[in-house]
Amino acid sequence: MSEIPLCSIVISSQLPLDEIESLETLLGMNSINMQKSPSRIVGADDIVFVATVIGGVAATANLIEYSIKVAKAINNWRRKLREKGTEPKGRLEHPKRPPLDLRTATDKEIEEWLSQK
């Protein structure tokens, strides 16, 4: 089965490298399928993670559950950053939706954005 992109997570390279790596680790620990996108130039060295879901009937049935899992991982990462006094600099992107700023969005807005079909 093929992987279907759920969203792109674009993180500013201005964040410390260990904070960017902590997002990558957190996504992986939550069994979220993702990969760095090497072919896309967004801004000055932005890092792009593409969260994906395995295609097929099972994916459609579990898409909302999976989306909430991704949202919780991102929200936990943002909370940890803020506890250290750092604002998350990045956004969520999807071709069929307007981008969502990770600095200004609420946890609920992130969950709702990711749960859209």
Side-chain angles (χ1 to χ4, degrees), residues 85-100:
T86 304
E87 281 297 314
K89 296 176 185 165
R91 66 189 171 280
L92 298 178
E93 293 182 349
H94 188 279
K96 296 181 179 179
R97 296 175 226 149
L100 185 66

Side-chain angles (χ1 to χ4, degrees), residues 3-103:
E3 291 185 351
I4 301 167
L6 176 66
C7 72
S8 295
I9 306 166
V10 181
I11 303 299
S12 171
S13 62
Q14 295 174 357
L15 284 174
L17 183 58
D18 62 328
E19 300 300 351
I20 295 168
E21 290 173 348
S22 73
L23 174 61
E24 186 174 13
T25 300
L26 193 57
L27 292 168
M29 287 175 29
N30 284 285
S31 302
I32 296 166
N33 298 331
M34 60 95 203
Q35 58 188 345
K36 284 186 182 177
S37 178
S39 62
R40 185 171 162 207
I41 300 173
V42 178
D45 300 320
D46 288 346
I47 291 96
V48 179
F49 297 105
V50 179
T52 59
V53 64
I54 302 298
V57 177
T60 303
N62 295 318
L63 185 58
I64 291 178
E65 181 180 316
Y66 188 78
S67 297
I68 290 172
K69 190 177 188 180
V70 172
K72 286 182 179 183
I74 291 170
N75 288 335
N76 286 337
W77 175 74
R78 293 180 335 132
R79 191 169 16 269
K80 288 177 183 178
L81 274 181
R82 289 184 172 133
E83 287 171 359
K84 295 177 184 177
T86 304
E87 281 297 314
K89 296 176 185 165
R91 66 189 171 280
L92 298 178
E93 293 182 349
H94 188 279
K96 296 181 179 179
R97 296 175 226 149
L100 185 66
D101 189 328
L102 294 176
R103 186 178 50 82

